Amino acid sequence: MKIAVCVKQIPDPATPYQLDPTTHWVIRPPDQVMDDTDRYGVEVALQLKEASEGEVVLVSMGPAGNMQGIRQALAMGADKAVIIDDAELKGSGALSTAKVLAAAIKREGADLVIAGTESSDGYTGVVPQQISELLDVPALTFARKFEKTETGIRIERQTQSGYDVVECGLPALISVTAGVVEPRYPTFKGIMQAKQKPVDQLTVSDLGLDGDSVGGSGSGQDITEVSPVPSRQAGQVIEDDGEGHLRIVELLEQAKVV
Ligand SMILES: Cc1cc2nc3c(=O)[nH]c(=O)nc-3n(C[C@H](O)[C@H](O)[C@H](O)COP(=O)(O)OP(=O)(O)OC[C@H]3O[C@@H](n4cnc5c(N)ncnc54)[C@H](O)[C@@H]3O)c2cc1C
């Protein structure tokens, strides 16, 4: 089974990053890390490969930088990576990103595509579903458990009240939640091996895509304003004079939680 895992490189959340003052786009430093969300997808792919043989290919779009994030995923055990880095992709929104990732996955001919449910920096949470639509394969989303069946894949889809069991044949896409598995830490041997693993760097034209349909012009999405998160307000202290519980119930009713 050939498994493609979508892996996004993001600026290290531990170090503050800059926004371009005009476009509001993130200025991506050369040192980027693998989005923590995608460690779960990589681990799921590795467990499936270990159970039934196959190949795990990482697919990533964005400025390659020094590929630290990609090497982190290769060090976990993935076999190779494909990264699409092209100036034409500047200003890509979620749909442009999905078009590029879908084209790269198609080129690889994957049986199963794995993605996180939402990234930690953009968090639109729509890219996996868009990829499945573009590849015309079923999407099993929000997997909190997974299992390979004889002909395909079965997951437990997290819902607000519990979970649904959903299954389908291959090819298919699954998006995985944090908690689906415990991602492994790369071993020293894995880190050394990752340096030798193949990484294909592609452009938009390598994928046969028209530059106008991706990047900013194909995005249909623009950032018009960015504002800091308001600082948290101090809570309200209710002194109990014997009637405090009534005041708490009143506030809960106002907040429509009871
Ligand atoms: C204003 C703006 C400017 C941008 N400029 C650029 C640019 O100059 N160059 C560029 O390459 N991109 C650019 N992007 C694309 C951006 O970095 C995201 O990849 C894209 O918008 C996806 O959105 P998200 O992170 O919210 O996806 P979500 O749907 O929240 O992500 C869900 C999952 O999809 C997968 N995924 C999402 N994005 C990627 C990715 N890029 N590679 C691999 N897997 C992924 C991951 O598995 C992730 O866990 C830009 C986006 C915006 C909105």
Side-chain angles (χ1 to χ4, degrees), residues 6-8 38 61-62 90-92 97 116 119 122-127:
C6 298
V7 169
K8 187 175 182 185
D38 292 328
M61 177 186 123
K90 271 204 180 313
S92 297
T97 305
S119 70
Y123 49 87
T124 58
V126 294
V127 169

Side-chain angles (χ1 to χ4, degrees), residues 13-215:
T15 51
Y17 53 84
Q18 307 284 316
L19 295 180
D20 181 298
T22 318
T23 60
H24 309 303
W25 300 348
V26 175
I27 300 170
R28 293 190 177 264
D31 285 335
Q32 295 194 86
V33 295
M34 166 169 45
D35 187 348
D36 202 50
T37 311
D38 292 328
R39 289 169 64 230
Y40 299 92
V42 175
E43 179 61 41
V44 168
L46 294 175
Q47 290 189 13
L48 285 167
K49 177 188 155 175
E50 283 156 5
S52 63
E53 293 287 302
E55 189 185 14
V56 175
V57 183
L58 311 169
V59 183
S60 189
M61 177 186 123
N66 60 22
M67 293 196 279
Q68 190 185 325
I70 297 297
R71 296 279 173 213
Q72 287 170 335
L74 289 170
M76 286 174 72
D79 298 291
K80 68 173 229 182
V82 175
I83 180 152
I84 311 97
D85 177 3
D86 193 322
E88 288 210 73
L89 293 173
K90 271 204 180 313
S92 297
L95 184 55
S96 303
T97 305
K99 284 180 191 169
V100 170
L101 293 174
I105 292 164
K106 209 171 191 169
R107 188 175 183 267
E108 287 296 320
D111 304 297
L112 181 67
V113 183
I114 304 179
T117 50
E118 65 175 27
S119 70
S120 320
D121 65 341
Y123 49 87
T124 58
V126 294
V127 169
Q129 295 83 331
Q130 290 173 332
I131 294 174
S132 84
E133 181 69 21
L134 291 161
L135 293 176
D136 197 20
V137 299
L140 305 189
T141 50
F142 295 93
R144 57 166 227 168
K145 267 194 180 169
F146 68 97
E147 184 190 346
K148 173 88 182 69
T149 62
E150 214 163 282
T151 52
I153 190 100
R154 180 183 300 131
I155 65 148
E156 286 183 9
R157 169 183 288 151
Q158 184 72 56
T159 65
Q160 278 196 330
S161 53
Y163 64 90
D164 299 328
V165 177
V166 204
E167 65 177 88
C168 69
L170 299 178
L173 174 145
I174 62 174
S175 72
V176 298
T177 60
V180 64
V181 280
E182 186 59 46
R184 68 193 67 187
Y185 285 101
T187 59
F188 180 69
K189 189 175 165 206
I191 294 168
M192 296 315 285
Q193 284 174 340
K195 295 182 181 167
Q196 311 301 329
K197 289 185 178 173
V199 180
D200 289 351
Q201 281 204 52
L202 304 179
T203 61
V204 167
S205 64
D206 290 331
L207 293 173
L209 292 171
D210 165 13
D212 289 341
S213 66
V214 292

